[in-house]
Amino acid sequence: MSVSNSFPSGLYGGRLTIDPKALAANWMFLAGKLAGETECAAAIKADAYGLGQEMAAKTLFEAGCRTFFVAVPTEALALRKVLPDAVIYALDGLFPGTAAHFLEHDIRPVLGSLEELQEWTALCKSTGRNHPAAVHVDTGIHRLGLSPAEFSAAMSDKALLGPFEPTLVMSHLACGSTPDHPMNRRQLDLFREVTAPFAHIPRSLANSAGVLMGPDYHFDLARPGISLYGGRAFDTGFNPMRPVVKVEARIMIVREVPPGDTIGYGAKQTAKRPLRNAVVAAGYADGLLRRAGSTDERPGGFAMIEGHRAPILGRISMDMITLDVTDVPENLLRRGAFVEMLGPHVAAADIAAYAETIDYEYLTSLGRRFERVYGPLT
């Protein structure tokens, strides 16, 4: 167990525990699912989904991962300082006038438009060298990527490409979280069709969901993200991944609420019976989203206290949350004790559903004010 903090533990209102061994185990599990010689990369964008890019990069590299995907160039440059020998791709592509930074630090942009491709190939022509980069072809998500027609024309245009040949051709699934959605097969078929003339170049389609959907989606390289961190790749069904993170908040006060009284801002939650509530020192400023609060019309999320469910009462505030602990044994409600807000017993996907969002948003928002601890979650 290790701790990385600026202040003594007792001064933090919440604690974020991250299990690097679980992270490594999830990557090895996914790598074991891949067909043939498919390489398992890792998406560690957004500070490794909120858990810490440096820790995640070192952990995954030690586990055997050699290719990493981030979003923006600044993430790539920070990662290069940590992993001097890794292959690093920047998914958001080539921002205007930044090519020199990519070359200096051996970062590979994922070229997502014809203009980006033209700028990169001009660079290759000016140096007479093939500088590594990926090309993104849009198979239906309509975000980044060359259209299939643009891709086919560009890849066949020797005058445009000059010495450039991509090190990777990739696309991104729009509906991978719903594995039976017909969009997945349409994208797979289109990706196969448009890349077939260039099949000597490594190809990548699978995110976390694509890994679990089977070998048809694997191609040469997979780039899982959410599953590495214990999140759900699919919206429904069993999640085979180990939890990697636990969020706990400290109890500040326990008090009685008579029936008919209201709890929290806006008086949105009314006590229907005599209640005991516990106020904990974490809120939406710590990434525990306000939308997961409770009202008289709709239930909110919940926390767990040593096996006992504690529903959220009223609105989630910036710095605190009120929990219904009426049915929790009093000896577990000590001032200063920790309550599990997210973790092995409160899945990120489950609590996210109360906030009408996904576990990605929860994970990437967590813990700017929390104590950070690295070790087992139990």
Side-chain angles (χ1 to χ4, degrees):
M1 181 76 70
S2 63
V3 181
S4 176
N5 301 302
S6 302
F7 305 105
S9 295
L11 297 178
Y12 289 92
R15 181 167 64 196
L16 180 65
T17 304
I18 300 164
D19 187 347
K21 290 184 178 179
L23 174 63
N26 284 342
W27 181 83
M28 290 186 283
F29 173 83
L30 294 167
K33 289 287 185 182
L34 295 174
E37 299 300 316
T38 302
E39 178 185 357
C40 190
I44 60 171
K45 59 185 180 174
D47 198 29
Y49 287 54
L51 303 191
Q53 178 178 272
E54 181 173 348
M55 176 281 301
K58 290 179 177 178
T59 297
L60 293 169
F61 194 85
E62 289 174 3
C65 184
R66 294 294 179 265
T67 301
F68 295 82
F69 288 81
V70 295
V72 294
T74 51
E75 292 178 332
L77 297 179
L79 180 58
R80 176 57 73 209
K81 294 178 181 179
V82 177
L83 297 181
D85 299 320
V87 174
I88 301 173
Y89 286 97
L91 289 163
D92 283 7
L94 183 66
F95 297 164
T98 62
H101 297 284
F102 283 86
L103 292 188
E104 180 183 355
H105 298 281
D106 190 22
I107 306 299
R108 302 182 182 187
V110 177
L111 305 171
S113 69
L114 187 58
E115 291 80 7
E116 290 183 4
L117 178 61
Q118 291 168 337
E119 185 173 341
W120 194 255
T121 56
L123 171 71
C124 292
K125 292 174 188 176
S126 70
T127 63
R129 295 175 53 198
N130 177 27
H131 298 294
V135 174
H136 190 158
V137 56
D138 175 27
T139 53
I141 197 170
H142 290 291
R143 299 190 312 180
L144 300 178
L146 281 72
S147 72
E150 287 177 327
F151 175 81
S152 297
M155 291 294 291
S156 301
D157 188 344
K158 299 301 181 185
L160 169 64
L161 296 181
F164 174 66
E165 182 173 87
T167 51
L168 186 71
V169 173
M170 61 166 281
S171 192
H172 193 69
L173 294 169
C175 300
S177 61
T178 310
D180 295 330
H181 198 292
M183 184 70 171
N184 294 317
R185 179 57 61 171
R186 289 201 296 270
Q187 286 190 267
L188 173 61
D189 291 344
L190 180 56
F191 187 65
R192 279 179 173 158
E193 177 186 347
V194 76
T195 62
F198 317 101
H200 62 286
I201 300 172
R203 293 178 288 178
S204 177
L205 179 62
N207 53 7
S208 294
V211 172
L212 298 176
M213 283 195 292
D216 284 354
Y217 292 85
H218 291 172
F219 293 92
D220 301 291
L221 181 143
R223 46 185 207 278
I226 190 65
S227 288
L228 295 174
Y229 310 101
R232 289 182 179 272
F234 299 148
D235 290 338
T236 59
F238 173 70
N239 179 14
M241 313 313 298
R242 286 176 54 177
V244 176
V245 60
K246 180 168 67 173
V247 175
E248 298 166 287
R250 195 184 297 276
I251 294 175
M252 295 185 289
I253 190 173
V254 177
R255 63 192 312 155
E256 305 298 324
V257 181
D261 278 14
T262 58
I263 300 105
Y265 281 127
K268 296 296 185 180
Q269 180 90 67
T270 306
K272 302 289 193 299
R273 58 170 180 157
L275 295 179
R276 179 187 302 117
N277 70 9
V279 183
V280 299
Y284 61 76
D286 303 292
L288 300 174
L289 304 179
R290 186 173 183 268
R291 296 189 300 278
S294 176
T295 71
D296 289 339
E297 286 72 41
R298 62 180 289 273
F302 64 95
M304 293 295 291
I305 305 175
E306 297 192 26
H308 300 274
R309 187 180 175 109
I312 293 173
L313 288 171
R315 285 182 177 171
I316 292 174
S317 303
M318 181 184 292
D319 309 305
M320 60 190 76
I321 295 172
T322 301
L323 302 173
D324 181 354
V325 295
T326 309
D327 300 321
V328 178
E330 288 190 46
N331 66 298
L332 302 180
L333 303 176
R334 303 178 309 278
R335 184 169 65 93
F338 281 107
V339 171
E340 181 182 329
M341 306 300 298
L342 183 151
H345 306 101
V346 187
D350 292 339
I351 196 68
Y354 287 100
E356 300 177 343
T357 185
I358 55 177
D359 44 6
Y360 295 73
E361 184 177 9
Y362 258 93
L363 291 174
T364 56
S365 301
L366 285 174
R368 289 182 292 270
R369 299 189 295 189
F370 289 152
E371 175 187 21
R372 289 210 167 205
V373 177
Y374 298 94
L377 302 188
T378 55

